[in-house]
Amino acid sequence: MWRFTVLRVLQAIPVILTVITLTFFLIRAAPGGPFSSEKAVSPQVQAALEARYRLDQPILQQYFSYLADLAHGDLGPTFRYPGRTVDELILDGLPITAELGFYALMIALVLGVTAGVVASLKPNTLQDYVPMGAAMVGICMPSFLLGPLLVLVFGIWLQWLPVSGWGSTPGDKLLPSITLGAMYAGYIARLSRAGMLEVLSQDYLRTARAKGLPEYVVILKHALRGGLLPVVSYLGPAFAYLLSGSFVVETIFQIPGLGRFYIQAAFNRDYTMILGTTVFLATLIVVFNLLSDIAATWLNPRLRYQYKQ
Amino acid sequence: MALLDVTDLKVHFHTRNGVVPAVDGISFQVEAGKTLAIIGESGSGKSVACYSLVGLIPKPPGRIEDGRALFEGQDLLTLSEAQLRKVRGKGISIIFQDPMTSLNPYMTIGEQLIEPLQLHFSMSRRDAWQKGIKTLEEVGIQNAERRMHAYPFEFSGGMRQRVVIAMALVAEPQLIIADEPTTALDVTVQAQILKLLRDLQQRRNIGVIFISHDLSVVADIADDICVMQHGRFVEQGERMAIFQTPQHEYTRKLLAAVPAAAKRPASYTPEPLITITDLYTQFCGNRGGPAVKALDGISLQINRHEILGLVGESGSGKSTLGRSILRLLQPCSGSIRFDGRELVHLSAAELKPLRRRMQMIFQDPYSSLNPRMTVYDTLAEPLLLHGVVDRKGLDTAVFELMDAVGLARANVLRYPHEFSGGQRQRIAIGRAIGTKPEFIVADEPVSALDVTIQAQILDLLLDLVARFNLSMLFISHDLAVVRYLADRIVVMKAGKLVESGTTHDMFTSPQQSYTQALLAAIPGRVLRDLDDSPL
């Protein structure tokens, strides 16, 4: 197991390095820079700024000094928020985004697995079509449509829940979490339905029934473990995407999370901020993929055994 | 009174295409301590009949239309699902066919074994665990206490089937339904499992329903036999009566299909077609593990116009040898000379003209044909690829091939799924002989087929070998089949040759103890005694 983990971590390094390099050169290739604006700036000020942010150095030298800083965990100063570093901004936004992502994932898991399992028990009947139809709607509906719709119904018509904010009024975390989790609930429902259908046709379930086990034991004890393996493999990447893809929801509901910075940084040509968030999210995606691989391996006795050797 | 008394059982499947009478009015009794065998080919309804007794058929589409099944004073067919659950696993338990798939891969053996005890006797986990260990010991599993914590994949096929049997026995049922319990196993393992079943049954005085398609297996262990065809019993009675004086035509056909006779020694002068010297083939170990020596220094010779039978248990390297000769696998070292030409180092392009002269027939006719190609496409492809005929002559050539393998010409535009297993194997054979090869590797070509179909395909192969002057390497785990077909036999074990000789010599005076063990394990001793065959 350790060998496997170390190996996978080593494999992640070239991936992250590629992401850094590509992002670094691509944003510099884009027209404009962090300090180009309509407002005329005197050449001296411009030069001073560029010197302060190392923009006067040759581009390769900028690249390597960025890597050197990164190796110490320093993502550099931001270009647009004077006096603050990228590390600070990310650490400010991350807990909120992570909390939102966590709630969304929990909602997605509970809804998705329930819908998928219920659908798989009676395939091609109403019991299958209704939850799977709902899952399809969840997948197709973009969050910029679902969010306002939910706000309209629950916030404005029914007035059950606050329309925006995060942690300021009770219940204001519910709508954003549902909005963000809906699509993932749909995916998880489809994955668990497919996984369960596969397992439900296996001979060992017939063996379990032949022992006289009641149907709910057959499903919960014998079928669920194998049937939900695909969902487990999906959870890691899903959480990483939840973190990196939450900016729409954060914008709709005015949540001070990570997503806001990401979008603003791109518009501002804030080189270090773009790089910093990209590297950070890429690392998250790699790490969560790794975690779900480990979980899936651990759940499958055969793979567990192989790595023990 | 009989342990189980079934009268006039009718099970129908209500499908979109109408009603299928899977079981159409059968009656039988099972006595305690006796074995009742139900014999029939796939689709005859033998499994459905038994599973319907304990409510294990899918409903719908299945429906029990009529009948009575008295077990311990109650009619199983009138019980509710909840009442049936109390019978399943406790009064009646089932041993399933394929030990590879009938155990839950995500649970330890112990967890699965104690489930019926906790369920039916509300035993504590500790007591159930102890009883589980005892039952594992009873079915002959070493280190039972430690093995309780193992997962199914840590067991071999035969050991898994012992676990499945232990699971069926653990709650001390009065009746066991054994559904083809040895079909997926090697012949030596099969012999052990059959003996184990017989011992346990007599020790515990259990009634057994033994479902099988294989008359020779049943011949050794059954007390009574029911022969089933199209959902009915065409004949039922005491074992020897069935074998000695079969009444129904179908029973006689089944008996005739058992490949009992040995091939007459052919008179030909041995002229080598393929000479293999010191062949090694390895598979890379999984994730840096040690490499597996699949072939470990094989030397043998295949003569022109002979059928060489290659026998051995699963994992002995039989298929690897067949595939290495055809260069479908790359050998590590050694030499394969085909008609004087060295094959081992030829490039793909150099091999192509030789490919026409060497063909292969695969085991599983369900997966070895491309489901998106019609019979015509399948048969025409090799003909065009090797330029055997031009486009103008193609239709005639395909039709002639279909005649040769006994397929109706009218079926030429059908897809593989529209054919039965035997017909599919005919298509595969047609594909192999189309290029007029000199040498064919047949890798277990009949092991997926029913006995009567198997007999037809074997005769077809014999006929084609004689007609087209073929040489054949016939790989099989079934010694009776090999004896029927082969001129010479080679025995393999763990990648090495154990023994070789003419079929007659190998069956009458095997030299090596491994060969003797293999021969002793062939089921159907009773049948052979009836035939007065040289065994």
Side-chain angles (χ1 to χ4, degrees):
Chain A
M1 211 61 205
W2 278 113
R3 231 179 75 96
F4 168 73
T5 312
V6 170
L7 216 80
R8 288 299 308 264
V9 170
L10 290 179
Q11 283 170 353
I13 291 173
V15 173
I16 293 174
L17 209 60
T18 313
V19 170
I20 296 172
T21 313
L22 276 178
T23 319
F24 187 91
F25 289 105
L26 274 175
I27 47 171
R28 276 168 175 72
F35 305 116
S36 52
S37 60
E38 289 102 62
K39 209 164 53 178
V41 183
S42 69
Q44 291 90 342
V45 174
Q46 181 90 17
L49 275 172
E50 292 191 346
R52 162 79 179 77
Y53 292 110
R54 293 199 213 124
L55 291 176
D56 54 341
Q57 296 172 353
I59 191 161
L60 271 181
Q61 199 177 334
Q62 292 181 34
Y63 172 67
F64 284 113
S65 30
Y66 182 77
L67 282 188
D69 287 347
L70 188 61
H72 300 101
D74 180 6
L75 293 167
T78 78
F79 289 22
R80 271 305 166 107
Y81 302 90
R84 306 208 60 187
T85 65
V86 177
D87 292 291
E88 284 170 10
L89 289 180
I90 288 182
L91 286 181
D92 276 358
L94 179 66
I96 294 174
T97 300
E99 192 186 350
L100 171 63
F102 177 75
Y103 294 147
L105 193 64
M106 285 304 120
I107 289 173
L109 260 181
V110 173
L111 285 181
V113 168
T114 314
V117 171
V118 164
S120 71
L121 294 181
K122 289 228 167 96
N124 302 321
T125 62
L126 210 60
Q127 187 180 330
D128 181 17
Y129 296 143
V130 171
M132 280 305 113
M136 208 60 212
V137 172
I139 293 171
C140 297
M141 179 106 74
S143 46
F144 58 76
L145 178 60
L146 181 62
L149 271 181
L150 289 177
V151 167
L152 191 66
V153 175
F154 294 100
I156 295 174
W157 289 350
L158 298 172
Q159 305 222 334
W160 288 354
L161 294 163
V163 295
S164 73
W166 187 257
S168 44
T169 32
D172 62 356
K173 293 179 178 177
L174 201 57
L175 284 186
S177 306
I178 294 175
T179 310
L180 185 58
M183 186 183 84
Y184 295 90
Y187 273 124
I188 290 175
R190 289 168 65 85
L191 276 175
S192 40
R193 176 181 179 266
M196 285 300 285
L197 276 183
E198 168 106 27
V199 169
L200 285 173
S201 65
Q202 296 288 318
D203 287 350
Y204 63 82
L205 289 200
R206 194 179 54 184
T207 312
R209 291 197 183 97
K211 288 174 185 171
L213 295 173
E215 197 57 24
Y216 73 92
V217 178
V218 173
I219 300 297
L220 294 181
K221 194 170 168 192
H222 284 264
L224 219 49
R225 199 153 164 190
L228 292 190
L229 268 185
V231 176
V232 174
S233 313
Y234 175 68
L235 278 188
F239 191 57
Y241 294 138
L242 276 170
L243 293 187
S244 58
S246 61
F247 55 82
V248 175
V249 175
E250 287 180 12
T251 311
I252 296 171
F253 292 96
Q254 309 264 307
I255 300 169
L258 205 55
R260 267 181 334 162
F261 296 125
Y262 202 31
I263 298 297
Q264 284 163 8
F267 283 125
N268 292 340
R269 296 282 186 279
D270 191 342
Y271 289 167
T272 43
M273 193 66 201
I274 298 173
L275 264 172
T277 39
T278 308
V279 170
F280 179 72
L281 291 174
T283 314
L284 275 187
I285 291 178
V286 169
V287 167
F288 281 107
N289 269 308
L290 177 68
L291 286 180
S292 64
D293 277 4
I294 292 175
T297 308
W298 184 77
L299 279 177
N300 190 335
R302 183 159 217 157
L303 290 176
R304 207 186 322 159
Y305 181 82
Q306 246 177 40
Y307 289 114
K308 245 191 246 165
Q309 297 287 295
Chain B
M1 202 185 84
L3 181 62
L4 173 71
D5 189 348
V6 177
T7 353
D8 202 27
L9 176 66
K10 275 188 189 145
V11 185
H12 291 185
F13 282 90
H14 296 259
T15 69
R16 246 177 244 176
N17 302 326
V19 178
V20 182
V23 179
D24 203 12
I26 60 170
S27 308
F28 59 91
Q29 285 90 41
V30 187
E31 308 282 340
K34 299 268 180 175
T35 298
L36 172 83
I38 301 181
I39 288 287
E41 297 187 90
S42 40
S44 60
K46 51 197 193 307
S47 296
V48 172
C50 294
Y51 292 166
S52 66
L53 296 179
V54 284
L56 279 181
I57 55 165
K59 283 185 250 181
R63 193 152 86 194
I64 296 171
E65 303 286 344
D66 198 6
R68 219 161 40 107
L70 288 178
F71 176 76
E72 291 185 319
Q74 46 186 358
D75 183 359
L76 294 174
L77 303 184
T78 60
L79 295 185
S80 69
E81 170 61 21
Q83 289 168 314
L84 267 178
R85 276 206 299 269
K86 296 207 174 82
V87 176
R88 283 207 296 264
K90 185 183 177 200
I92 302 176
S93 61
I94 303 180
I95 300 169
F96 292 100
Q97 170 170 2
D98 189 351
M100 294 298 167
T101 59
S102 52
L103 291 169
N104 188 333
Y106 303 109
M107 287 168 67
T108 61
I109 295 300
E111 283 175 71
Q112 300 185 52
L113 198 53
I114 64 173
E115 260 180 339
L117 296 175
Q118 291 177 306
L119 181 75
H120 294 297
F121 301 101
S122 316
M123 253 190 212
S124 73
R125 193 179 160 82
R126 179 185 306 234
D127 293 347
W129 198 265
Q130 286 310 319
K131 176 134 198 210
I133 295 175
K134 250 195 225 133
T135 317
L136 275 191
E137 280 166 353
E138 198 175 347
V139 298
I141 286 180
Q142 312 280 316
N143 288 325
E145 204 167 337
R146 202 164 49 79
R147 297 296 262 166
M148 287 285 277
H149 298 283
Y151 286 92
F153 69 88
E154 299 175 58
F155 290 81
S156 67
M159 282 297 151
R160 280 191 220 196
Q161 196 59 311
R162 282 171 196 262
V163 172
V164 173
I165 292 174
M167 241 158 69
L169 281 173
V170 76
E172 303 189 356
Q174 288 88 57
L175 179 69
I176 289 185
I177 298 170
D179 187 2
E180 308 247 11
T182 60
T183 307
L185 305 174
D186 275 326
V187 38
T188 45
V189 183
Q190 165 171 297
Q192 293 163 15
I193 297 287
L194 288 178
K195 182 167 182 313
L196 172 70
L197 266 179
R198 190 83 183 144
D199 290 350
L200 289 170
Q201 175 203 12
Q202 280 166 358
R203 204 180 318 154
R204 295 188 170 192
N205 201 30
I206 306 172
V208 172
I209 302 177
F210 194 100
I211 303 173
S212 181
H213 71 280
D214 190 340
L215 269 173
S216 34
V217 167
V218 168
D220 294 335
I221 60 160
D223 297 294
D224 297 296
I225 295 180
C226 303
V227 181
M228 195 163 184
Q229 186 190 25
H230 306 318
R232 294 164 195 254
F233 286 161
V234 295
E235 188 162 357
Q236 60 193 113
E238 197 267 322
R239 169 180 64 160
M240 290 323 281
I242 296 273
F243 286 131
Q244 281 165 337
T245 52
Q247 300 300 314
H248 194 272
E249 180 197 358
Y250 182 67
T251 316
R252 285 200 286 270
K253 193 173 149 201
L254 278 181
L255 279 169
V258 177
K263 192 178 182 184
R264 298 269 156 264
S267 54
Y268 60 90
T269 40
E271 179 198 346
L273 176 67
I274 294 176
T275 311
I276 298 164
T277 333
D278 219 15
L279 194 67
Y280 286 87
T281 302
Q282 289 190 345
F283 293 118
C284 293
N286 212 349
R287 285 168 213 282
V292 179
K293 271 190 197 165
L295 296 182
D296 196 2
I298 297 277
S299 300
L300 67 89
Q301 183 174 314
I302 302 168
N303 295 319
R304 283 186 191 276
H305 316 320
E306 88 171 345
I307 301 180
L308 179 66
L310 177 55
V311 298
E313 295 181 50
S314 44
S316 61
K318 309 186 295 282
S319 293
T320 308
L321 177 57
R323 284 162 194 231
S324 297
I325 295 175
L326 297 186
R327 280 283 310 276
L328 296 173
L329 287 171
Q330 178 61 42
C332 299
S333 69
S335 138
I336 303 166
R337 300 189 79 82
F338 176 80
D339 200 13
R341 260 193 98 180
E342 178 59 53
L343 294 186
V344 171
H345 304 295
L346 289 188
S347 69
E350 288 169 316
L351 263 174
K352 197 191 157 199
L354 288 169
R355 289 242 178 267
R356 189 185 67 75
R357 301 167 63 185
M358 305 185 297
Q359 290 289 328
M360 180 141 188
I361 301 167
F362 295 91
Q363 169 171 9
D364 186 356
Y366 292 87
S367 59
S368 67
L369 295 172
N370 187 335
R372 307 243 177 276
M373 282 166 77
T374 61
V375 176
Y376 186 91
D377 297 335
T378 302
L379 295 181
E381 190 181 41
L383 298 180
L384 287 178
L385 182 67
H386 291 289
V388 179
V389 291
D390 55 13
R391 290 244 167 224
K392 261 189 283 169
L394 192 59
D395 291 359
T396 334
V398 167
F399 281 133
E400 279 168 3
L401 262 183
M402 292 182 75
D403 294 343
V405 295
L407 285 167
R409 288 188 177 197
N411 291 330
V412 67
L413 288 181
R414 289 180 184 254
Y415 288 90
H417 69 89
E418 301 177 74
F419 294 93
S420 68
Q423 285 171 316
R424 277 184 235 203
Q425 203 55 299
R426 284 176 194 269
I427 302 173
I429 293 171
R431 177 177 59 183
I433 63 167
T435 60
K436 304 208 162 40
E438 292 147 67
F439 174 63
I440 287 183
V441 174
D443 191 354
E444 304 257 14
V446 294
S447 58
L449 305 176
D450 276 325
V451 269
T452 53
I453 309 296
Q454 170 176 318
Q456 292 166 13
I457 297 292
L458 290 180
D459 287 335
L460 173 69
L461 285 176
L462 274 178
D463 171 54
L464 291 174
V465 165
R467 190 142 43 117
F468 295 105
N469 275 326
L470 290 167
S471 311
M472 183 180 281
L473 180 68
F474 186 90
I475 301 171
S476 180
H477 70 283
D478 187 338
L479 286 145
V481 166
V482 170
R483 184 166 69 123
Y484 181 69
L485 209 71
D487 302 298
R488 281 195 310 135
I489 292 181
V490 178
V491 181
M492 268 185 88
K493 186 192 181 190
K496 291 188 199 278
L497 282 195
V498 176
E499 192 171 355
S500 69
T502 65
T503 304
H504 184 261
D505 290 349
M506 292 286 267
F507 274 87
T508 47
S509 53
Q511 301 300 310
Q512 301 294 324
S513 56
Y514 181 68
T515 317
Q516 288 159 4
L518 272 186
L519 292 178
I522 303 179
R525 192 157 295 282
V526 178
L527 285 179
R528 292 197 293 278
D529 293 345
L530 286 176
D531 284 354
D532 290 319
S533 67
L535 265 175

